[in-house]
C-alpha cells in the first residue's frame, strides 16, 4: 500500500510543482527504505521481488513500443537508425573503456556493464518527455532510442558475458551460437504474437471488453516464454510485439494504448519506490567512491555526447538537436534490474570486482535522472527545441466566429491553431494570419502531420453537437477534460447530452455556434475592457445584454480563462475582459468617447 501510495503521490506532486517525477519517486523510496527503514520491499516480497520487477518492465516496454509507428519517423529515420546501431556500439566501447580505466573494473566486467549502460529506457525517458514538451523531432528521437535500445542493451550485456565465458573456455561454440538463435527466436516470437493479436482484433474475433486484457496476458506470456529459453531475451520479444501491433493500423489501438499507459504509470511509480527502498546504506555510501564518481562524470560528459555526435555525422540533425540528444540519456529500471542479475552471475563465475556493479549502476541511474530530469526543459528552451513557451489553443471548426476568437487570443500572444477538414473554410483564418490545418482532427494522419504538443486547450466549435462531443472524448486522455471546451448544445435538450460525454460549455448555454455565427453576420466584433479599482467586474456586468457576450478574461498574470456555464469567474482589477459586442454598442461607446473628448477640450479652452 505504501509503495503504491508514495509512487502516485510523487507523480502528483511532480505534476503540481513541474518537477521530474522520477526524482521524487527515487527520493521517496530512499526515505522509507535505507534512510528511515520503514519498509524493506525485497525482504517483504521475497522470491517474488525480481519476477514482479521483470514482468512490470515487460509491460512498460510493450506500452512504449505501441507508440513506435514508422510513419512518425519517415522524414528522419536515418539519424534514429544511426543512433540505435552505430551510436549504441560507440557507447558500448567507450563506456567499457571508461569502466576499465576509470572505475577500475576488469575487462570482462567492464565490457558486460558497458553494454548494459547504453540503455535509456521508457521508464525514465517517457515521463521526462511528457514533462518537457519538446518539439516533435527531438522528442521522437529520444523516445525511439529509449525503447529500441532498451532490449538491445540487455542483449549486448548478455553477449559480452557469453563471449567472456567462451574466451575463458567455460562455454562451447555451440552454446555461444545459441545466444544468436535465442535472440532471433525472441524477435520472431514477439512479432508473431503481435501479428496474431492484430489479425484477431481486425477480424472481430475478440470483443472490445476483452481486447486490453488479452493483450495484457499475451505480453506476459510472450515475455516469460522467451525469457525461459534465454535470460534477458524477453525484453526483445515484447518490444517486437508492440512494434508489430503499432504498425498494423489496428482500429482499437488507441484504446489499448490508453489502458496500457495507465497501467505503466502505476507500475513505474511503484517500481522506482520499490527499487530505491530496497537499497542498503552500504550501497548508498559506496557510490561516493572517487572511481565511481569519475566514471559517472565520464559517462555524462564524454561517452554519451561522443556516441551521438559521431554516429550522426552526415545526417540532417542540427547542432541544437545533437546537443540535446547528446546530453539527455537517463538510465532507469532496466539498468538497475539487469545489473543485479549480471552482478550475481559474474560473481559466480569468479569475477570479484562485480561487487561494485550495484553501487555503480545506482550512482549512474540516480545521477542521470537528477541531471537530465532538471535540465531537459531548460535546455530545450535554450536550444529552441521546446514546443512552445506559451501554452496554445486549438480551435476545431473554421467558422467566422472561430476566426475572430482566434484573432482575439492571438492578440494576447497565444499560440492558436484552427483545424477544419475544408481548405476553403480556413481561408478567413489564413487571411487573419492564424495557423491552420486542413484535415480531420480525429484522423491518425493528424498525429504525424501536426505538432499538437504545444497546445494544452482545445475548443470544439463545429455545427454538429455529437461530433463536438466525439472530439472531446477522443482527446480527454491527452488534454484532460478540464482543458476541453465545446460550444453549447443547440438541438434538443442540452441535458440529453450526459456531462461525461461533453466538454465544458463555452460562454453560456444560449450561445451555441449558430447563434454566435448569426451575431458575427450582424457585425459583432471583439472588445477588450480593462478592469480597474474604479471600474469593477460588477460595473461591467451591469452592461451585459444581448448586445454584449463575455468570452474570456486574461488575468493580470497573463493566464487565459474562458467564461462557461459551470464555472463562475471572478475577474479582478488588472484583468482584461474580452467580449463579443454589437455594432450598436460599439457605436454608442464611440459616441460616448467623442462626447467626453469634446467636453474635455471645451473645459481646457475655458481654463
Amino acid at each position: 500500500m505504501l509503495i503504491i501510495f508514495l509512487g502516485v503521490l510523487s507523480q502528483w506532486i511532480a505534476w503540481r510543482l513541474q518537477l521530474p517525477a522520477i526524482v521524487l519517486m527515487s527520493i521517496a523510496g530512499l526515505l522509507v527504505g535505507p534512510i528511515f527503514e520503514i519498509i524493506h520491499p525485497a525482504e517483504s516480497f521475497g522470491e517474488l521481488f525480481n519476477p514482479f520487477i521483470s514482468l512490470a518492465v515487460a509491460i512498460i516496454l510493450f506500452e512504449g513500443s505501441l507508440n513506435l509507428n514508422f510513419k512518425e519517423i519517415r522524414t528522419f529515420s536515418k539519424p534514429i537508425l544511426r543512433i540505435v546501431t552505430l551510436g549504441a556500439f560507440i557507447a558500448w566501447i567507450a563506456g567499457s573503456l571508461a569502466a576499465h580505466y576509470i572505475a577500475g573494473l576488469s575487462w570482462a566486467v567492464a565490457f558486460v556493464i558497458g553494454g548494459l549502460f547504453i540503455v535509456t529506457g521508457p521508464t525514465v525517458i517517457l515521463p521526462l518527455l511528457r514533462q518537457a514538451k519538446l518539439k516533435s523531432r527531438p522528442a521522437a528521437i529520444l523516445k525511439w532510442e529509449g525503447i529500441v535500445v532498451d532490449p538491445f542493451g540487455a542483449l549486448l550485456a548478455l553477449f559480452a558475458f557469453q563471449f567472456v565465458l567462451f574466451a575463458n573456455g567455460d562455454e562451447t561454440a555451440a552454446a555461444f551460437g545459441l545466444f544468436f538463435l535465442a535472440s532471433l527466436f525472441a524477435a520472431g516470437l514477439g512479432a508473431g504474437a503481435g501479428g496474431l493479436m492484430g489479425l484477431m482484433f481486425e477480424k472481430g474475433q475478440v470483443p472490445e471488453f476483452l481486447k486490453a486484457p488479452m493483450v495484457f496476458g499475451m505480453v506476459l506470456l510472450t515475455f516469460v516464454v522467451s525469457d525461459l529459453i534465454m535470460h534477458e531475451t524477453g525484453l526483445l520479444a515484447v518490444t517486437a510485439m508492440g512494434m508489430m501491433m503499432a504498425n498494423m493500423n489496428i482500429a482499437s489501438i488507441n484504446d489499448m494504448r490508453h489502458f496500457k499507459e495507465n497501467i505503466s504509470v502505476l507500475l513505474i511509480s511503484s517500481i522506482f519506490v520499490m527499487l530505491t527502498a530496497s537499497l542498503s546504506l552500504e550501497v548508498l555510501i559506496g557510490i561516493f567512491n572517487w572511481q565511481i564518481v569519475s566514471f559517472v562524470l565520464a559517462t555524462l560528459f564524454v561517452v554519451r555526447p561522443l556516441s551521438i555526435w559521431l554516429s550522426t555525422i552526415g545526417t540532417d540533425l542540427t547542432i541544437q538537436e545533437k546537443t540535446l540528444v547528446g546530453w539527455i540519456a537517463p538510465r532507469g529500471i532496466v539498468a538497475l534490474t539487469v545489473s543485479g542479475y549480471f552482478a550475481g552471475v559474474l560473481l559466480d563465475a569468479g569475477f570479484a570486482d562485480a561487487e561494485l556493479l550495484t553501487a555503480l549502476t545506482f550512482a549512474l541511474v540516480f545521477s542521470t535522472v537528477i541531471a537530465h530530469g532538471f535540465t531537459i526543459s531548460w535546455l530545450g528552451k535554450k536550444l529552441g527545441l521546446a514546443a512552445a513557451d506559451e501554452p496554445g489553443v486549438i480551435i476545431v471548426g473554421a467558422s467566422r466566429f472561430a476566426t475572430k476568437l482566434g484573432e482575439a487570443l492571438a492578440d494576447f500572444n497565444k499560440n492558436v491553431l484552427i483545424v477544419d477538414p475544408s481548405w476553403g473554410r480556413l481561408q478567413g483564418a489564413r487571411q487573419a494570419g492564424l495557423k491552420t490545418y486542413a484535415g480531420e482532427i480525429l484522423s491518425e494522419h493528424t498525429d504525424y502531420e501536426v505538432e499538437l504538443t504545444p497546445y494544452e486547450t482545445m475548443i470544439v466549435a463545429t455545427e454538429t453537437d455529437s461530433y463536438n462531443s466525439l472530439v472531446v472524448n477522443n482527446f480527454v486522455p491527452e488534454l484532460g477534460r478540464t482543458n476541453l471546451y465545446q460550444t453549447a448544445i443547440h438541438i434538443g435538450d442540452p441535458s440529453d447530452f450526459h456531462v461525461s460525454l461533453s466538454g465544458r460549455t463555452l460562454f453560456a448555454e444560449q450561445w451555441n455556434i449558430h447563434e454566435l455565427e448569426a451575431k458575427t453576420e450582424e457585425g459583432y466584433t471583439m472588445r477588450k475592457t480593462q478592469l480597474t479599482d474604479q471600474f469593477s467586474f460588477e460595473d461591467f456586468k451591469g452592461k451585459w445584454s444581448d448586445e454584449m457576450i463575455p468570452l474570456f478574461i486574461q488575468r493580470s498574470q497573463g493566464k487565459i480563462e474562458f467564461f462557461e456555464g459551470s464555472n463562475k469567474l471572478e475577474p479582478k482589477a488588472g484583468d482584461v475582459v474580452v467580449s463579443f459586442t454589437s455594432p450598436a454598442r460599439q457605436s454608442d461607446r464611440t459616441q460616448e468617447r467623442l462626447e467626453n473628448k469634446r467636453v474635455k477640450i471645451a473645459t481646457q479652452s475655458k481654463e
Side-chain angles (χ1 to χ4, degrees):
M1 179 279 299
L2 188 60
I3 288 170
I4 296 175
F5 173 74
L6 288 176
V8 176
L9 179 64
S10 299
Q11 292 266 13
W12 180 77
I13 294 175
W15 170 76
R16 292 285 297 178
L17 302 180
Q18 295 297 302
L19 295 173
I22 297 171
V23 176
L24 297 186
M25 290 185 287
S26 301
I27 293 174
L30 292 176
L31 290 176
V32 298
I35 296 179
F36 293 111
E37 297 186 348
I38 298 174
I39 58 175
H40 302 278
E43 296 179 8
S44 300
F45 283 90
E47 293 182 355
L48 292 177
F49 182 78
N50 288 327
F52 175 78
I53 298 291
S54 298
L55 291 174
V57 171
I59 295 169
I60 295 166
L61 194 57
F62 171 78
E63 187 275 326
S65 61
L66 273 181
N67 298 297
L68 299 185
N69 193 310
F70 290 110
K71 293 179 181 177
E72 182 183 21
I73 60 168
R74 62 182 182 272
T75 59
F76 53 95
S77 57
K78 183 179 179 180
I80 291 180
L81 182 61
R82 289 275 200 89
I83 289 172
V84 300
T85 53
L86 180 59
F89 178 77
I90 295 173
W92 176 36
I93 300 301
S96 300
L97 292 173
H100 176 70
Y101 288 108
I102 298 177
L105 299 178
S106 64
W107 280 114
V109 177
F111 271 103
V112 171
I113 204 65
L116 177 61
F117 283 167
I118 69 170
V119 303
T120 53
T123 59
V124 284
I125 199 64
L126 294 182
L128 290 186
L129 292 178
R130 192 180 298 119
Q131 165 211 344
K133 294 185 177 180
L134 301 175
K135 289 184 177 179
S136 58
R137 191 156 108 150
I141 292 173
L142 289 170
K143 178 183 73 175
W144 274 73
E145 182 201 10
I147 296 171
V148 173
V149 174
D150 220 34
F152 286 127
L155 288 176
L156 198 56
L158 185 60
F159 166 77
F161 177 67
Q162 294 288 337
F163 182 78
V164 167
L165 295 181
F166 176 73
N168 288 343
D170 298 329
E171 286 279 8
T172 64
F176 187 58
L178 182 63
F179 163 78
F180 294 99
L181 293 176
S183 300
L184 291 175
F185 173 80
L189 177 65
L196 177 63
M197 286 285 95
L199 289 175
M200 291 179 65
F201 291 169
E202 289 301 285
K203 291 182 178 181
Q205 295 179 357
V206 181
E208 290 296 324
F209 75 95
L210 275 181
K211 286 184 177 180
M214 277 200 69
V215 171
F216 188 85
M218 184 60 76
V219 168
L220 298 181
L221 177 65
T222 302
F223 173 80
V224 171
V225 169
S226 179
D227 225 45
L228 285 175
I229 293 175
M230 178 163 284
H231 201 63
E232 303 304 335
T233 60
L235 297 179
L236 178 61
V238 296
T239 302
M241 179 180 174
M243 291 181 67
M244 174 63 75
M245 297 185 69
N247 290 276
M248 290 183 67
N249 298 319
I250 302 172
S252 55
I253 191 71
N254 284 332
D255 295 334
M256 287 186 291
R257 188 179 290 128
H258 296 324
F259 171 78
K260 294 290 184 183
E261 184 177 8
N262 292 334
I263 295 294
S264 294
V265 169
L266 188 62
L267 291 175
I268 290 172
S269 304
S270 304
I271 289 173
F272 261 98
V273 175
M274 287 176 62
L275 288 174
T276 52
S278 298
L279 294 171
S280 63
L281 281 177
E282 290 75 12
V283 172
L284 291 180
I285 296 173
I287 68 175
F288 295 103
N289 182 302
W290 72 268
Q291 290 177 304
I292 292 179
V293 173
S294 300
F295 172 78
V296 169
L297 293 176
T299 303
L300 286 172
F301 295 102
V302 179
V303 175
R304 172 65 178 183
L306 185 68
S307 65
I308 296 300
W309 282 83
L310 290 180
S311 64
T312 54
I313 293 175
T315 65
D316 61 347
L317 287 190
T318 65
I319 294 176
Q320 290 82 2
E321 289 171 332
K322 291 181 181 180
T323 302
L324 179 67
V325 176
W327 170 245
I328 302 300
R331 276 64 171 186
I333 293 173
V334 171
L336 283 173
T337 55
V338 178
S339 69
Y341 164 76
F342 281 110
V345 295
L346 284 168
L347 285 172
D348 292 339
F351 299 97
D353 55 334
E355 289 181 340
L356 288 175
L357 290 189
T358 302
L360 192 68
T361 305
F362 179 74
L364 185 62
V365 168
F366 201 66
S367 300
T368 54
V369 163
I370 291 179
H372 300 149
F374 280 109
T375 58
I376 185 171
S377 298
W378 173 83
L379 187 60
K381 292 178 181 178
K382 287 294 182 181
L383 296 174
L385 299 177
D389 292 333
E390 188 67 46
V393 179
I394 299 177
I395 302 178
V396 181
S399 62
R400 287 171 295 177
F401 170 77
T403 299
K404 289 185 176 293
L405 178 62
E407 288 183 279
L409 291 167
D411 287 342
F412 290 102
N413 297 318
K414 298 300 176 184
N415 188 12
V416 179
L417 172 68
I418 297 186
V419 179
D420 195 282
S422 172
W423 176 266
R425 284 169 58 87
L426 287 166
Q427 182 178 359
R430 291 195 300 271
Q431 291 175 344
L434 299 173
K435 294 180 183 178
T436 62
Y437 172 68
E440 171 56 60
I441 189 66
L442 297 178
S443 171
E444 182 185 2
H445 296 290
T446 305
D447 294 337
Y448 309 116
E449 296 177 2
V450 182
E451 188 176 342
L452 299 178
T453 307
Y455 307 96
E456 71 171 14
T457 302
M458 178 179 287
I459 296 173
V460 191
T462 72
E463 291 81 2
T464 307
D465 296 328
S466 56
Y467 176 78
N468 293 346
S469 296
L470 178 64
V471 174
V472 165
N473 277 274
N474 186 78
F475 282 92
V476 165
E478 285 80 13
L479 300 177
R481 196 171 294 278
T482 56
N483 294 323
L484 290 162
Y485 299 88
Q486 71 181 77
T487 47
I489 306 300
H490 70 279
I491 296 178
D493 186 355
S495 63
D496 292 340
F497 282 73
H498 194 276
V499 65
S500 65
L501 300 178
S502 303
R504 302 167 75 179
T505 301
L506 271 176
F507 315 139
E509 297 291 347
Q510 69 269 29
W511 297 119
N512 58 62
I513 189 62
H514 296 277
E515 293 291 339
L516 294 170
E517 278 291 272
K519 297 301 181 184
T520 306
E521 182 69 23
E522 294 174 15
Y524 273 52
T525 56
M526 297 292 173
R527 179 170 178 267
K528 303 175 186 176
T529 304
Q530 177 84 47
L531 300 181
T532 65
D533 293 330
Q534 293 73 31
F535 186 75
S536 66
F537 186 56
E538 294 298 322
D539 298 327
F540 180 79
K541 285 198 298 185
K543 298 179 179 293
W544 284 11
S545 65
D546 290 340
E547 289 80 30
M548 184 180 293
I549 306 170
L551 302 180
F552 64 87
I553 62 174
Q554 185 193 44
R555 296 293 188 184
S556 55
Q557 301 88 354
K559 182 181 179 181
I560 294 290
E561 294 183 20
F562 292 94
F563 287 95
E564 40 133 343
S566 61
N567 185 24
K568 304 301 181 183
L569 297 181
E570 297 182 1
K572 301 176 182 178
D575 296 341
V576 177
V577 180
V578 177
S579 57
F580 204 36
T581 308
S582 71
R585 176 58 62 89
Q586 292 281 23
S587 178
D588 292 343
R589 292 292 298 167
T590 301
Q591 292 295 329
E592 182 180 341
R593 286 196 297 269
L594 291 174
E595 183 62 28
N596 291 338
K597 186 174 182 180
R598 283 194 293 269
V599 171
K600 184 177 180 180
I601 293 174
T603 303
Q604 291 175 344
S605 299
K606 290 180 181 180
E607 291 176 351

